Amino acid sequence: QVPLVESGGGVVQPGGSRRLSCAASAFTFSSYGMHWVRQAPGKGLEWVAFVRYDGTKQYYADSVKGRFTISRDNSKNTLYLQMNSLRAEDTAVYYCAKETQLEALDAFEIWGQGTMVTVSS
Amino acid sequence: QSALTQPASVSGSPGQSITISCTGTSSDVGGYNLVSWYQQNPGKAPKLIIYEINKRPSGVSNRFSGSRSGNTASLTISGLQAEDEADYYCCSYAGSSMVFGGGTKLTVL
């Protein structure tokens, strides 16, 4: 069983929207915080957002604040990233990652395989 | 949320030890015991190798070790092996956010 599987990537026009999903298995999803991390082509890693184990608290990188929304559905073991007002600089592989902690930001223990989002006209 | 500073590249011969530095500020690396390190092979997802400055997840070789002095964290790989050739990233908690280093490419000569 692959613990984290992302989906929803693709090509989207500038100014458009996209929702990414991350299906979790092989661990108790509702007991851990979850992150989104992205990596632009040929570039380094950039933390995007975090949601607490129960979905009641979210944190965002300044670069996406007000445009992206992280959420989770613990009944479906699924993490989401709603991306609006997309820009060319949002082009990246988006990874979901399991936090080591319930509600704190500590480390990215398990990573998905990533899903590519390309923002282009 | 300024990126942490890592050397762009380091190299070493098999059997040697290398150290990768990661410099931040008192608002991130120096302020919390929440520094982690990741290994990334080409085309693959990153893998956690060190967390909370110097803790190793289960299954990670004890050739990998972490430390911190002031605002600079370090990853040391001892007994270099060809399979260690990869990109390495540090990351730190920065007060309601996380910040990565720019990454270091390790070449095993």
Side-chain angles (χ1 to χ4, degrees):
Chain A
Q1 239 178 349
V2 180
L4 295 170
V5 179
E6 302 94 338
S7 61
V11 180
V12 59
Q13 292 191 336
S17 298
R18 198 82 176 182
R19 189 177 84 155
L20 304 183
S21 299
C22 171
S25 60
F27 67 95
T28 306
F29 181 71
S30 59
S31 295
Y32 294 93
M34 293 293 296
H35 300 265
W36 287 98
V37 177
R38 68 184 181 183
Q39 186 169 33
K43 302 297 185 182
L45 301 170
E46 179 187 15
W47 174 77
V48 173
F50 167 83
V51 62
R52 226 173 77 139
Y53 71 102
D54 57 2
T56 60
K57 187 70 176 175
Q58 303 82 28
Y59 299 114
Y60 297 93
D62 289 343
S63 58
V64 306
K65 201 170 295 183
R67 300 188 300 122
F68 289 13
T69 301
I70 187 173
S71 62
R72 64 192 297 161
D73 186 338
N74 286 345
S75 69
K76 296 182 178 179
N77 288 346
T78 302
L79 174 72
Y80 302 101
L81 184 67
Q82 177 65 44
M83 304 185 294
N84 298 330
S85 302
L86 282 162
R87 307 165 180 167
E89 54 264 37
D90 295 319
T91 295
V93 174
Y94 285 75
Y95 296 100
C96 63
K98 171 189 173 292
E99 172 52 68
T100 57
Q101 305 289 336
L102 205 66
E103 54 187 323
L105 286 74
D106 186 347
F108 313 101
E109 184 179 19
I110 300 173
W111 298 66
Q113 85 288 351
T115 187
M116 181 71 199
V117 174
T118 302
V119 183
S120 173
S121 54
Chain B
Q1 296 180 350
S2 298
L4 307 176
T5 300
Q6 297 181 233
S9 63
V10 298
S11 62
S13 299
Q16 289 185 330
S17 294
I18 64 95
T19 297
I20 300 172
S21 62
C22 170
T23 301
T25 69
S26 58
S27 296
D28 39 61
V29 173
Y32 310 94
N33 295 330
L34 297 173
V35 176
S36 52
W37 290 88
Y38 302 85
Q39 177 190 62
Q40 186 178 34
N41 289 298
K44 302 293 187 182
K47 172 189 175 184
L48 176 65
I49 54 174
I50 295 287
Y51 67 103
E52 294 175 7
I53 298 179
N54 56 16
K55 298 179 180 178
R56 272 189 313 275
S58 174
V60 172
S61 171
N62 59 9
R63 298 186 299 105
F64 295 90
S65 62
S67 62
R68 182 189 63 184
S69 176
N71 296 334
T72 297
S74 298
L75 172 71
T76 298
I77 308 175
S78 60
L80 264 181
Q81 299 179 2
E83 68 199 47
D84 298 331
E85 186 161 294
D87 293 327
Y88 291 84
Y89 293 90
C90 63
C91 184
S92 175
Y93 175 71
S96 301
S97 66
M98 303 286 273
V99 60
F100 281 97
T104 298
K105 182 175 181 58
L106 168 62
T107 300
V108 180
L109 302 172

